[in-house]
């Protein structure tokens, strides 16, 4: 097969070497009669599928970063080893997609240069391993973290219009190698099949925006107010979670509600703690090594006050924002202790910030006494009861009777035959659609969704009209003055039409160009064949 014009022989040789792991010059290749077989074509299709599969996983990996701190906490509970596993995920994914992308580019270049696609067995083995690793990742995601599938669906509301543009132009670029293959192969059935498949895919992509919806496709004057911020355990990217320092950092971020978790000590003192044990966020293993595995409620208040609740933040660096801490902040971190609910309520009263909390553990045999102790502290603190948002479902009626001013927040959607209307709901962001959020807003129901850390997700929920969001990244969301993007429907329609039209023209140009090049080569090849025939006849004479 002759090299197309513009493809130098050394370049073709290097490409063939990298793809086939064999140093075969173009002359030797012709002498050996190497050609792209059906098996080689099958491996090319497999390579393309692996690349696409890995690209989809990269998208998922970027999306689940919003919730990855939960995964880090889960791994710590199992292994007692803290590591930011998001870095491992991104590095591994980048390596896999880079490898498959390089091979795919090499294959396209070889096709344009008219060289055979002889994939080496080592590349075949690595591609199979790549496919297995990505398949295992998707399987694990579906088993252990199934809600992230809904996160991916929500993410399409933020990325859908731009993914559409990227995929259209990615498929448009495929027109060049596809046209080259079609004009080189002599298999008419294969030509027709590939053209039909390609045309069907492009038509589907051109019409895809008909099925794409996003709450951010709206006029500027229709944009709802910016959602209020609820600090998830305070400001955990700027200070140790569930500490007074974290509360004050949250206030500095214009957070309106401090969301936390309350437990009750063995001697009846409510205090702030999320985990069932103290190993992740205190130095309990150093102070009480023989009791480190006990439930947090097994310690009395005197023991809890001996624990350092801040130094772990400097040692384990749970978030990358650790680098931005000043020397003063670092010193203050080391002075943090487990705060009592009484201390937190006093700080909330002084800073005029509301407090929303869960009471843990819900399955404890003394849970009613926990409720009584917590209510007693709230009523004695003197904080305005409207600043307290009550999340626990257990003994809720008792709480309503003893402290009717406390705002009741429900961790569920409203029921059809609700006895009394819900005023506040607190749900995972995956559990409510944009349509439900709008309906709740019309019915004057306050909707708080958790945990929202990434600007893209905050933008989607902002456009949907959510009342507030619980976040770890209050310092990031505070700076957002508007959603990442906001497009009027007329502007999006214009972009859609322009992208589709330019893509169609580019594909048409690619096929016409390759056809012209193919027609130029044929007369030259015919003249060469005639000359070789004459020379052969003369030699025989």
């Amino acid at each position: 097969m002759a090299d197309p014009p513009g493809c130098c022989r050394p370049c073709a040789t290097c490409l063939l070497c990298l793809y086939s792991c064999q140093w075969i010059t173009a002359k030797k290749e012709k002498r050996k009669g190497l050609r792209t077989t059906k098996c080689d074509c099958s491996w090319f299709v497999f390579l393309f599928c692996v690349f696409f599969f890995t690209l989809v996983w990269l998208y998922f990996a970027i999306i689940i970063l919003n919730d990855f701190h939960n995964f880090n906490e889960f791994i710590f509970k199992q292994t007692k080893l803290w590591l930011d596993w998001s870095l491992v995920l991104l590095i591994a994914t980048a390596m896999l997609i880079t490898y498959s992308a390089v091979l795919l580019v090499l294959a396209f270049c070889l096709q344009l240069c008219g060289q055979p696609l002889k994939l080496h067995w080592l590349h075949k083995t690595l591609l199979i391993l790549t496919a297995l690793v990505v398949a295992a990742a998707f399987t694990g995601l579906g088993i252990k973290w199934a809600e992230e599938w809904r996160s991916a669906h929500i993410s399409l509301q933020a990325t859908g219009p731009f993914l559409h543009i990227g995929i259209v132009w990615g498929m448009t670029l495929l027109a060049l190698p596809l046209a080259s293959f079609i004009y080189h192969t002599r298999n008419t059935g294969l030509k027709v099949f590939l053209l039909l498949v390609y045309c069907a895919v492009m038509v589907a992509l051109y019409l895809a925006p008909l099925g794409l919806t996003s709450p951010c496709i709206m006029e500027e004057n229709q944009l709802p107010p910016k959602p209020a911020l609820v600090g998830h355990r305070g400001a955990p990217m700027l200070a140790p979670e569930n500490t007074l320092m974290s509360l004050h950092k949250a206030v500095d971020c214009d957070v309106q509600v401090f969301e936390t978790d309350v437990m009750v000590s063995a001697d009846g003192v409510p205090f702030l703690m999320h985990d069932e044990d103290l190993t992740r966020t205190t130095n309990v293993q150093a102070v009480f090594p023989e009791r480190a595995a006990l439930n947090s409620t097994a310690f009395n208040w005197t023991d809890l006050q001996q624990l350092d609740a801040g130094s772990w933040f400097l040692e384990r660096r749970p978030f990358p924002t650790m680098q931005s801490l000043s020397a003063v902040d670092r010193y203050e971190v080391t002075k943090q202790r487990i705060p009592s609910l009484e201390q937190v309520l006093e700080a909330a009263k002084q800073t005029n910030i509301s407090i929303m909390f869960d009471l843990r553990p819900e399955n404890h045999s003394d849970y009613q006494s926990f409720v009584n102790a917590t209510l007693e502290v709230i009523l004695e603190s003197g904080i305005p009861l409207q600043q307290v948002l009550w999340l626990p479902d257990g003994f809720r009626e008792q709480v309503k009777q003893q402290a009717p001013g406390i705002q009741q927040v429900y961790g569920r959607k409203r029921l059809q035959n609700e006895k009394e209307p819900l005023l506040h709901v607190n749900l995972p962001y995956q559990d409510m659609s944009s349509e439900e959020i709008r309906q709740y807003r019309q019915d004057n129901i306050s909707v708080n969704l958790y945990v929202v850390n990434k600007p893209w997700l905050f933008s989607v929920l902002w456009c949907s009209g959510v009342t507030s969001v619980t976040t770890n990244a209050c310092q990031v969301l505070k700076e957002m003055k508007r959603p990442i993007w906001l497009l009027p429907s007329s502007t999006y329609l214009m972009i859609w039409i322009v992208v589709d039209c330019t893509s169609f023209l580019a594909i048409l140009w690619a096929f016409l160009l390759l056809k012209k090049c193919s027609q130029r080569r044929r007369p030259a090849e015919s003249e060469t064949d005639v000359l070789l025939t004459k020379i052969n006849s003369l030699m025989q004479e």
Side-chain angles (χ1 to χ4, degrees), residues 264-283:
V264 179
S265 67
D267 52 349
V269 178
F271 65 95
L272 269 57
M273 182 60 57
H274 174 268
D275 295 1
E276 291 187 2
D277 60 60
L278 302 166
T279 53
R280 183 175 64 88
T281 56
T282 72
N283 63 337

Side-chain angles (χ1 to χ4, degrees), residues 135-179:
F138 273 115
T139 303
L141 186 70
I143 295 174
K144 291 293 185 181
W145 218 358
E147 62 269 19
E148 291 305 315
W149 293 105
R150 287 176 286 167
S151 300
H153 181 263
I154 294 171
S155 73
L156 292 177
Q157 298 178 19
T159 62
F162 307 100
L163 282 178
H164 168 250
I165 295 173
I167 295 174
V168 164
W169 278 103
M171 291 298 296
T172 300
L173 292 176
L174 281 179
L176 274 172
L178 178 65

Side-chain angles (χ1 to χ4, degrees), residues 353-364:
I353 188 174
S354 297
I355 178 171
M356 177 170 67
F357 62 88
D358 250 327
L359 189 57
R360 299 172 180 269
E362 296 87 348
N363 57 354
H364 199 282

Side-chain angles (χ1 to χ4, degrees), residues 63-72 145 147-148 151 429-430 450-454 457:
I63 295 306
I64 64 178
L65 288 180
N66 180 81
D67 306 311
F68 217 84
H69 188 71
N70 296 339
F71 181 77
N72 291 339
W145 218 358
E147 62 269 19
E148 291 305 315
S151 300
Y429 70 88
Q430 299 100 332
Y450 62 89
V451 173
V452 178
N453 299 319
K454 297 300 180 181
L457 180 56

